[in-house]
Structure formats: C-alpha cells, structure tokens
Amino acid sequence: MRVKTYTSSQIRNVVLVGHGGSGKTTLAEAMLVRAGAINRAGSTMDHDPEEKEKGFSMALGLAQFEWRDHKINLLDSPGFPDFIGEVAAALRVADLAVFVVSAVDGVEVQTELIWRMAASQGVPRAVFVNKLDRERADFDGVVEQLQNRFGAGIAPLQLPIGTESSFHGVADLLSDTAYHYQDGVGSKADMPAELADREHEVHDALVEGIVVADDSLLERYLDGDVPGLDELAHALASGVAAASVFPVVCGSALTAVGVDRLLDLLVDEAPSPLDRGTFPVQAGDLEVEAEPDEKGEPLAFVFKSIADRHVGQLSMLKVLSGQVNPDDHLTNVRTGSDVRLHTLLSTMGGDQSPTGAAPCGDIVAVAKLTDVHTSDTLAPKGKPVRVPRLEMPAATLPVAVKAKTQADEDKLGIALGRLLDEDPSLRLERNEETRQTILWGMGETHVRTAIERMHRKFGVGVDTEDVRIAYRETILGEADAEGKHKKQSGGRGQFGVCFLKVAPMPRGEGFSFVDAVVGGAIPRQFIPAVEKGIVETMAEGGALGFPVVDVRVTCYDGKFHPVDSDEMSFKIAGRTGFREACGRANPVILEPVSRVEITVPAAVQGDALGDLNSRRGRVQGTEAAEDGEQVITALVPTSELLRYAIDLRSLSGGRGRFLFEHDHYEPVPAHLTDKILADAKQDQH
Ligand SMILES: Nc1nc2c(ncn2[C@@H]2O[C@H](COP(=O)(O)OP(=O)(O)OP(=O)(O)O)[C@@H](O)[C@H]2O)c(=O)[nH]1
Ligand SMILES: [Mg+2]
C-alpha cells in the first residue's frame, strides 16, 4: 500500500470547540463528506456507544483527511462543561481552534470560557458561525457579540447570502466573490445586488483591519495603494498565526453551505505546525524553548490515550519535532524505558489504518505501547527533554466508588488506572481514614459516564456511595478514669489496672503520653502496653467513635498481680481507661475545614456570598480579578462542599469555578453533632 507523505507545511492541526450543541460534530462530518473522506455523515465522530446514545460528544474525536493537497488533522471536542479536560488536551496540540457558534444562540458561556483558555495559551483562533439555515439566525448579531467580547481582532471574512431557510451561499469579502451552494458544493456566482453596497463597505473595513497589522502595508495603503489579494491573504495568515486576528466565516453544517470555504480557510490562512514557532520543554530542571524542526531529532508528546475495543490501548501522539517512523525506537522520558512504535496509524473517528512516517507537526496514533501514558514524552535515547504535562482544570466533584463484587474488586485498581489515563481530568484519591476510594470529576455527568465506561470497556462493576467525611474527635475538658481488666477463668487469670488522666492539647499536636507512675504501682515493662492500648483506641475511635486527636494522657497510678498481670491485660486496661476518661472530658467531633478560592462574575458575587453563608462558610476576603470577575476566599466545612461543583455551576450560569484544599480541623457546632453520629451509625450497618 502506498501512503501519501506530507511535509510539515502541508499539515493543519485544527480543533473544533464551542458551546454544547453548536454543531461541532455535524460540522466535522460535513467537512469529511465534502472532502470525500466519508460517504455519509452521522456516525464517524461520535462513534462511542455512549455518545450515540446521549446524542452529544464526550471525548475528543480525530479524523485525518486531505483537502487541496494538505493533511487536515481535525479534532472534534465536546462542548458539555464536564468534558472540558478533552478541550484542554486538544488545545495543546491544535494550531488553530475553530469556535463553532450557533447563529441562533449566539456566544454562549462555554464558548467564552474556552476562548479564554485558548487565549491564555496563545492558540490561534477562528470562528464558524453555524446554523444560518435556521429561523432567527442572526449573523450580524453574532459578529457584534464576538467583537464586544473578544475585541478588535475579530475579522468577518464573509457575509451570508439569503436568510433562514433561503440561506444558500456566502460572500467572500477579501476576494469580492459570491459562492452559491448546491448539494454542499459551492460555485462562484455574481454578487447579489442587495448585498453589493454592504459588501463594499465591509470589504473596506476588513482591508483596513488587516493592513493595520502590517506596517509596510499600512504605509502603502495610506498612500492610496490598495494591496492585492495575495498580499492581504498573506498578512491575514500572519495575523492568524500570531493569534491577533480571528477570522469569522459562516455557513450551515447541516446543509453544508460554507463548509468547503472553511476547508479552504484552513489551507490558506491557518498556521502550519512550523508557523507556530517554539514551544517550552524541560531539560532537567531548566525550562527552555524548543523548535519544531523537520530535520531535527524526533520528539513526540502523548496527548490522549484511548482504550479501544479492537486494538487495545491507543496512544495519540503529536510529533513536536523531527520525524517519527514506523518501528522507531524512542525513550519514554518519564520511565527511561525503550519504546518501540511498530505500526503508525491514521485515524478516522473510531477506525484506524496503517500509515507511513509522521513528519514534524503531524498527529499519529500508535497501538499497544507498553507503559506509555497520557502526557508522556517520547524522545531519542540520551536526550531527556520533557514536554510539560497536560494541565487539567481542577476536578471538584467527589464520588466514592466501590467494586460491586470480589471479581470486580480484583480488577478495580487496573481499571481505574486506565480510566484516568484515558481521561486525566478525573482524579483518584484513597482516604484511609474513611476507607473510601474517591473519584473526582468535573460534574455529575462526568463521573457517571466514567463509571459506565469502566463497566463497558474494562468489565468492572462499580457502585457509588456518599462520600464520608473524615471526622475526628477530641476533648475540651480534663477527666480521670480507672481502666481495669480482670478475668478469672480456670487456670492463670488476667489482671491489670491503670489510672489515667486526659487533657486537651492544642490543635494539631496529636498525642502525648506521660508516664507518672511511681513506686512500681505498674511494673515498668507493662507501661508501654498501656500506651499501646491507648494509641490503638485513638485510631479506632474514642468515646464518639471517631479517631481521637490532640489529647495528653497521663498514667499516674495502677495495680498489678504478681502472677496474673501480663501485657495484654494492661493493654486492655489502657483501652477501657482511655475511652472512659474521654467520655467524661467533654468529647467533641472535629470536622475538616477547607480553604476555598471561588472565581465568579461580579454580577453573581452577592449570590455566591449568600450561598457560602448558608454553608457555614467564613469569608476571608474578596478581590477583583481580570475580566470583571471576583475572587472570594473563604473557609468552609468540607462536608458543605461535596456538591458545591454542581451548585456553583447553576448559581453562576456555568461561569463560576473554584479550588479548595484542606486547611484545618475544628469542632462541629453542637446542633449538628447528633446528625453526624446517627449517620456514622448508619454507615457501620
Ligand atoms: N439547522 C441546523 N441544525 C444544525 C446545524 N448544525 C448542527 N445542527 C444540529 O444541532 C444539534 C447539535 O449538533 P452537534 O453537531 O451534535 O453539536 P456539537 O457542537 O457537536 O455538540 P456537543 O458535542 O454536545 O458539544 C444536532 O441536532 C444537529 O443536527 C446547522 O447548521 N443547522
Ligand atoms: Mg459534538
């Protein structure tokens, strides 16, 4: 089989991003149909059974195809906020993010958030205003919104021809050309008379927008010399690559109007991987800039791993420098192990086919790499440069997971590992205090689909349960008790008595044991047994049943029997004495309190503060941030944060985000104690 090879400048890495339901997947498939890569739209990009069933995308889809002698590596990303991790991975490897915006719904929350993510990473951007065939589609309105929100770089390159159900073409402003569509294919046509005046006006505005980005062009323009089409297109491409100009085109993914013009835009105006310039890598402790070099040594980054039903594990690589060939040996920089690549694969949704060498900038899939995970760097032996790991937004919704059966239990660890490799926006935590395994996700849908996927892909049944809070207990007062263990049964008996005094210690000090026994009331060799009994009880649970902290125990007296006393007897005496003393020393439950940093639009700050108040939060400060946002810092009991990810999303219309970490323990208010004790009892049954 002969496989066509491409140079780096013929490669375009493009991701479709935007709010859920704006038409990304439909557009991706329309592009594939138009380019002749598939025959029929409908099942290439959302090929996962879950995606088919739910009708929206949950994971990155990749389709690699040709348009006008260029290789387009097209990534389709999910718009649903729970799957933002997929967008983060795609933005790392894409050289252009095409924002798909519905002409009916306008610029929506997720579009704004992703725009901000892309901007912070300097990713070049363009906009496809979609659904112009629909009722109430408003191209001008969307352009105005784009300009208001994203600034002067927004450059509309087209105007729609016809409206709503009669929408049938696009007018290219740069070339002054109209395209009319028949069955998804555009052909040049006369500029409609009703558009001519408007077209001229917008054309001039566009030319001015482009020439200001280029000093020499601007000078000539001011001298009355209007640059030619090629020069303008060239200047536009530089602006796009520099992420300072954001072209806006339009169409309908459903009727395939404007889709081929979008493909042309990718070839003519989108940067190749070489145009993106240097990228940061870590060489030892140093961060340095590396160059995408077609002739350099190979360097590849794993941006996505997929557990595929047919081929097993698939690793998606972007070749950041050099060329990667089938059967190459590279080193996994994380582990130092040799990695043999075998066959390189080209991807069309859920299908793969063998392909040849991957030049600098290309994206390629490789099956069954041993111990290679998402975010790994592959480099030649002895060249240990490392590409920074993917940075994922914080997963803030916890759910406790538990294997359904023993057979599931045996496979759980491995399955969770593979799940996290496939989706690094999930996080796993083992809480030894509550003996729960916690899966953290971005939202309810995220964790639910992760659990479904564990079942479907790895055959592991998982139940979820409420997350238990790691309560502890301490004492507020001092008290004494006698711990006595006495047993007479047949032969040798058991006997040990200790007198204990317990007293509170400052928070975080843990435990101290004072041996104040005098006159041999307890023989020396048994005193450590008393302490051991106390330490064990502290861990197992004190008077209220929770692990005990911050207590000083003084053992000040005791009794023994020359024959019956032994270590075990004193250990048990220590346990009973300690538990009893604590019960008399005003025991209280301690709860974990987290430090939370919440970012919300200023408009909902009041609501967010009111909500924190109802969660027993104590606000530490508020501060204005960029883009009219406010950052609130607060101390909030951790038990009040378990569903905050869901509540903050609805409270802020999807715009709020937060981070939190454990800060300290403090006593639970008295009115909540009974409920916590009742819940804890329930959990034990
Ligand atoms: N009328 C019309 N409907 C469209 C167009 N593009 C997409 N749709 C419809 O909009 C709905 C959502 O389309 P998708 O392509 O799944 O949207 P998406 O952006 O991939 O959605 P997520 O994967 O959830 O982010 C589907 O019912 C499509 O048929 C269009 O240009 N015109
Ligand atoms: Mg989709």
Side-chain angles (χ1 to χ4, degrees), residues 16 19-28 45-46 51 55-59 76-80:
L16 302 181
H19 200 85
S22 59
K24 298 173 291 296
T25 302
T26 312
L27 178 61
M45 286 317 229
D46 282 351
E51 295 178 319
F56 59 88
S57 311
M58 297 183 172
D76 173 30
S77 71
F80 195 74

Side-chain angles (χ1 to χ4, degrees), residues 474-479 502-505 551-552 581-582 584-588:
T474 191
I475 51 173
L476 297 180
E478 301 189 358
V502 296
M505 285 206 300
V551 179
R552 170 181 300 110
C582 285
R584 290 181 200 156
N586 193 6
V588 289

Side-chain angles (χ1 to χ4, degrees), residues 355-429:
T355 184
C360 174
D362 205 357
I363 287 174
V364 77
V366 189
K368 295 197 176 76
L369 293 181
T370 316
D371 196 21
V372 169
H373 298 301
T374 307
S375 275
D376 279 350
T377 303
L378 306 181
K381 206 177 170 73
K383 292 267 170 183
V385 291
R386 225 175 139 163
V387 180
R389 298 185 61 79
L390 289 176
E391 268 177 48
M392 287 291 147
T396 48
L397 184 72
V399 58
V401 294
K402 200 173 70 177
K404 275 195 204 289
T405 65
Q406 185 58 46
D408 292 327
E409 175 76 38
D410 296 342
K411 293 185 283 183
L412 184 65
I414 291 177
L416 283 170
R418 292 177 67 186
L419 186 70
L420 260 70
D421 197 29
E422 204 171 290
D423 182 354
S425 67
L426 291 164
R427 189 160 59 85
L428 203 60
E429 177 203 355

Side-chain angles (χ1 to χ4, degrees), residues 139 143 147 153-159 173-174 202 206 246-249:
F139 177 75
V143 169
Q147 282 165 336
I154 293 290
L157 300 187
Q158 297 175 345
L159 290 176
L173 297 172
L174 267 193
V202 209
L206 175 65
F246 314 112
V248 181
V249 294

Side-chain angles (χ1 to χ4, degrees), residues 661-682:
E661 58 180 10
H662 173 74
D663 195 72
H664 66 277
Y665 271 84
E666 66 183 47
V668 168
H671 70 279
L672 295 174
T673 305
D674 289 347
K675 174 153 183 4
I676 294 172
L677 289 175
D679 288 350
K681 240 199 196 114
Q682 189 94 42

Side-chain angles (χ1 to χ4, degrees), residues 99 130 189 228 268 434 605 665:
F99 285 74
N130 189 31
D268 297 331
T434 59
Q605 188 189 6
Y665 271 84

Side-chain angles (χ1 to χ4, degrees), residues 585-597:
N586 193 6
V588 289
I589 302 177
L590 294 175
E591 65 176 340
V593 173
S594 295
R595 171 171 296 277
V596 194
E597 193 187 285

